[in-house]
Amino acid sequence: MRVTGDSVGPRVGDILKARGVNCFVYGDSISNVNAHKLEMYQNLLSVCHAGDIVIAVDAALGENEDVGRVKITKNGLFPGRALGRESKAVGDIGVLAVVGEKSGDNFARLAAGSEEFAEFMAKKTADITQELVEYIDRLAEEKFSPRGAARAYPALARRAELASARARV
């Protein structure tokens, strides 16, 4: 059975890969990240991407007023929480697409979403995720960052030049 609401994450992966976003993308409609593969991906991230900023994307259930929103969380996300599963946090930043309202049967709520809404939420989530990646890349170009080489802030460099010039006078 396809769980339409939970297909948002793999759809986001497809969109980001199609756009050629400057980051590694794990999880798409061909090879999704799910509860059975979660530990393997957590190990992969800790070994191959130690020190990198990891953005984790998932569908979520929330309050009625949050449906249709994309929420950003610090310290990653906890996949499967809506279905009562316990897991370690994944990622440094979590991007949650709220695809439905919490209910007594969260699995049914995730499964009941429409294809059109799932596609809308995937595009919206991919846009926000891409903006995050581009923002992190800009930071890496400007200052010390796990994703980039150190480069002095231009304002600090100018201050150092002025101090050096004053010292020579």
Side-chain angles (χ1 to χ4, degrees):
M1 172 183 187
R2 180 177 176 136
V3 182
T4 306
D6 209 27
S7 71
V8 170
R11 291 172 194 239
V12 170
D14 290 340
I15 293 167
L16 295 175
K17 284 182 174 183
R19 292 179 182 173
V21 174
N22 184 31
C23 66
F24 287 95
V25 176
Y26 297 103
D28 56 26
S29 59
I30 294 170
S31 179
N32 66 345
V33 178
N34 59 41
H36 303 292
K37 301 176 189 174
L38 187 58
E39 187 175 341
M40 178 194 71
Y41 279 105
Q42 287 173 320
N43 291 335
L44 173 78
L45 292 172
S46 69
V47 171
C48 297
H49 298 284
D52 290 345
I53 296 171
V54 175
I55 301 171
V57 177
D58 201 4
L61 297 174
E63 302 303 320
N64 185 48
E65 62 271 12
D66 291 330
V67 175
R69 292 184 177 163
V70 177
K71 294 186 168 194
I72 310 293
T73 65
K74 62 181 183 176
N75 302 320
L77 54 85
F78 297 86
R81 185 177 272 178
L83 301 176
R85 296 188 186 122
E86 293 295 321
S87 68
K88 296 187 313 187
V90 175
D92 302 298
I93 300 170
V95 179
L96 295 164
V98 183
V99 297
E101 185 179 2
K102 294 178 196 172
S103 71
D105 187 353
N106 288 334
F107 182 80
R109 183 68 71 177
L110 281 171
S114 75
E115 290 288 330
E116 293 78 19
F117 185 65
E119 193 59 38
F120 166 78
M121 288 303 295
K123 178 162 182 338
K124 185 175 182 178
T125 305
D127 291 346
I128 290 169
T129 304
Q130 183 172 355
E131 285 180 36
L132 275 171
V133 169
E134 291 169 356
Y135 176 74
I136 291 166
D137 282 346
R138 282 193 305 277
L139 287 177
E141 291 174 3
E142 294 174 6
K143 63 180 183 178
F144 292 97
S145 168
R147 292 191 57 173
R151 196 173 92 187
Y153 281 101
L156 294 177
R158 282 191 293 277
R159 278 192 214 142
E161 288 171 10
L162 286 173
S164 175
R166 284 187 194 125
R168 282 181 265 152
V169 173

